[in-house]
Amino acid sequence: MEIRKATHYKDYLKLNDLLNSQKLLSYENGKNCHDEMLFVITHQVYELWFKQILHELYSVREIFKTDFLHEGSLSAAVSSLNRIEKIQGILIAQLDVMETMTPMDFLEFRDLLVPASGFQSAQFREIEILLGLKLSTRLSGHSDLIIGQLAESDREKLLHDEQEELLPELIERWLERLPFTENERYVFWEEYQKAIFEMTEEERTQVQKNIFLTESEKLSQLKSLQENEDRFKALFDEDLYKKTREFSYAALSRKAYLNALFILLYRREGVLILPFQLLTCLSNIDENFSRWRYRHALMAKRMLGDKMGTGGSSGHKYLSKTVENNRIFQDLVSLPSYLIPSSRLPKLPLFLTENMNFKKVASACLS
Ligand code: HEM
């Protein structure tokens, strides 16, 4: 039997390549800026974590591509997404280290980088795309800027990637398959509508009878209640729902959206525990992305003030706009608008709760 050659730590991790990959422009140019090492290493560490995030995202995508999704696979998807969340935590925290560099120390070598910029990170864009944020659907002006900054080979690959099935579409398909809310014996949404409209009526009466409110305060609160009721109505009417969607980035079909809502409402029923964890992870990843964007925008302001970026954008101004406009799972994030207190939730019929908590049936239903 052939004896396997012992692997050495430095070979296994390719440390010769890794540790010889810090090419400091300021040293090559005789300026010897101490902080450039921190700048390069921080970016490289980010790119390594981006690679890990992509590894997890591709695995989740493969899981959701199948038409039969059993509990074990769903659990693996949740683990991957949870891992991404934790990595994002590191990515955000890492900016603290970057900020130990002062703006003056950064200025010392910044010009040597032009026109290199995080703008050109193909892995960052690949992550965005897999999560459904296409290059072509950004705020006006941003798409051209972003696409124009990419290296040609990256641009071709990313524009091709956009045509593939992305995570939101796969999640939507899976959500649409959730079987519990409508069948010949029971239509959950009829019960839910009743509960909502009863609740709104009670709230309306409470406002009208509240002696501590002025007339204008009453009017303003009644207006909010009406808006809330209209939002609910749009949820239960296909045409109204479509119209609402036209004005937002949200993309889930009504069926998928309602099923996601059902998962949130009955998250403690056996078969919905993992789906609930999955939706929570997706919302958290979206939020963490925005957190990173906001934190990075603040850092750009601190380092550059109102100067433009090395990639040619308006710098801090551009980055701040991406915080709210580049949300990924807008639909999931907006779901809480449609929640009602547990005490008001319709009680599910016994045949349904038995199905939802019976293991064998449960795994079949999740597929
Ligand atoms: C001194 C530190 C940094 C400054 C001042 C800075 C500044 C900027 C600016 C101004 C932009 C806008 C594009 C441009 O015109 O260049 C940008 C984009 C970007 N930067 Fe940074 N950055 C810094 C560190 C980092 C680090 C450590 C990363 C980690 C990979 C990073 C990743 C990115 C990414 C991914 C974008 C594109 C964001 C988007 O288009 O939504 N940056 N950065």
Side-chain angles (χ1 to χ4, degrees):
M1 198 175 88
E2 198 185 325
I3 298 173
R4 195 169 62 84
K5 204 172 146 241
T7 310
H8 195 281
Y9 178 81
K10 77 172 189 180
D11 297 327
Y12 180 59
L13 297 176
K14 300 248 180 296
L15 290 188
N16 274 348
D17 294 339
L18 193 64
L19 300 178
N20 282 306
S21 299
Q22 290 69 42
K23 181 175 158 241
L24 304 184
L25 287 176
S26 72
Y27 281 76
E28 284 179 4
N29 285 274
K31 287 182 88 181
N32 301 8
C33 300
H34 175 85
D35 283 9
E36 195 187 353
M37 180 69 94
L38 174 73
F39 189 77
V40 169
I41 287 185
T42 307
H43 280 83
Q44 287 179 336
V45 171
Y46 263 96
E47 289 293 336
L48 285 175
W49 281 126
F50 289 164
K51 187 166 182 175
Q52 183 68 37
I53 291 178
L54 284 167
H55 188 58
E56 304 299 338
L57 282 178
Y58 279 115
S59 149
V60 174
R61 185 165 80 165
E62 280 316 300
I63 289 173
F64 277 90
K65 268 185 180 172
T66 54
D67 285 335
F68 183 83
L69 211 164
H70 59 76
E71 263 180 325
S73 307
L74 197 59
S75 168
V78 170
S79 298
S80 279
L81 293 173
N82 187 42
R83 185 173 290 163
I84 293 176
E85 251 185 85
K86 304 290 172 221
I87 295 173
Q88 285 178 309
I90 298 177
L91 297 185
I92 296 166
Q94 213 166 284
L95 294 178
D96 287 347
V97 186
M98 185 92 267
E99 283 179 348
T100 59
M101 174 174 75
T102 67
M104 286 298 280
D105 288 325
F106 181 42
L107 274 184
E108 229 21 70
F109 64 90
R110 178 180 186 248
D111 283 352
L112 298 171
L113 317 173
V114 178
S117 158
F119 237 12
Q120 297 157 341
S121 166
Q123 288 202 103
F124 183 77
R125 300 296 176 214
E126 196 173 345
I127 293 171
E128 288 185 325
I129 289 173
L130 273 173
L131 291 171
L133 202 62
K134 296 186 178 182
L135 296 175
S136 45
T137 53
R138 308 294 172 112
L139 279 181
S140 76
H142 287 188
S143 293
D144 292 344
L145 197 61
I146 290 172
I147 294 172
Q149 280 290 323
L150 290 167
E152 200 171 325
S153 54
D154 293 335
R155 188 183 313 140
E156 271 171 33
K157 181 192 174 304
L158 292 170
L159 288 171
H160 175 266
D161 286 352
E162 288 197 351
Q163 310 307 317
E164 302 271 312
E165 268 189 316
L166 307 174
L167 210 54
E169 298 155 39
L170 294 166
I171 301 278
E172 176 183 52
R173 264 212 331 254
W174 167 74
L175 280 170
E176 282 175 346
R177 297 202 297 264
L178 194 87
F180 304 113
T181 54
E182 283 185 36
N183 59 43
E184 60 284 356
R185 291 163 76 184
Y186 181 70
V187 181
F188 168 74
W189 298 114
E190 286 173 4
E191 302 299 315
Y192 196 59
Q193 282 187 71
K194 267 189 234 156
I196 290 160
F197 296 123
E198 269 171 32
M199 186 179 80
T200 317
E201 262 327 292
E202 279 175 33
E203 286 173 343
R204 212 172 257 135
T205 315
Q206 272 168 13
V207 172
Q208 277 156 348
K209 285 187 177 165
N210 190 339
I211 53 169
F212 298 108
L213 293 176
T214 63
E215 275 315 302
S216 74
E217 282 168 341
K218 277 186 189 175
L219 278 177
S220 138
Q221 290 196 14
L222 289 170
K223 190 168 165 248
S224 297
L225 283 174
Q226 188 57 51
E227 282 167 4
N228 201 32
E229 198 174 355
D230 292 344
R231 246 199 313 273
F232 271 113
K233 278 185 186 150
L235 201 57
F236 299 114
D237 180 304
E238 191 66 52
D239 291 335
L240 282 178
Y241 182 82
K242 272 190 193 142
K243 269 190 204 140
T244 321
R245 300 279 115 164
E246 277 167 22
F247 300 105
S248 77
Y249 287 84
L252 285 180
S253 69
R254 199 171 74 91
K255 189 165 186 201
Y257 194 75
L258 285 175
N259 282 343
L261 178 57
F262 186 78
I263 292 172
L264 258 61
L265 293 171
Y266 294 94
R267 67 204 179 284
R268 297 219 170 89
E269 299 294 339
V271 73
L272 298 184
I273 292 174
L274 273 177
F276 175 68
Q277 287 173 1
L278 186 107
L279 296 186
T280 307
C281 280
L282 292 174
S283 297
N284 290 347
I285 287 174
D286 185 20
E287 256 184 45
N288 280 343
F289 240 107
S290 287
R291 275 203 194 100
W292 182 82
R293 287 186 202 279
Y294 181 60
R295 193 59 190 72
H296 172 257
L298 286 180
M299 182 178 69
K301 178 84 178 178
R302 166 199 280 247
M303 295 289 179
L304 306 173
D306 291 323
K307 293 191 189 87
M308 72 174 205
T310 46
S313 79
S314 56
H316 167 261
K317 258 193 223 146
Y318 158 78
L319 295 170
S320 326
K321 281 195 191 140
T322 65
V323 178
E324 266 312 314
N325 289 298
N326 287 356
R327 295 301 294 262
I328 299 159
F329 297 107
Q330 281 284 4
D331 308 77
L332 300 183
V333 176
S334 71
L335 275 172
S337 317
Y338 304 99
L339 298 178
I340 62 173
S342 297
S343 54
R344 289 188 174 269
L345 274 183
K347 201 164 162 21
L348 298 176
L350 192 62
F351 79 91
L352 197 61
T353 47
E354 273 176 2
N355 272 354
M356 289 165 76
N357 288 289
F358 183 54
K359 260 214 157 293
K360 270 191 185 160
V361 179
S363 31
C365 289
L366 276 176
S367 68

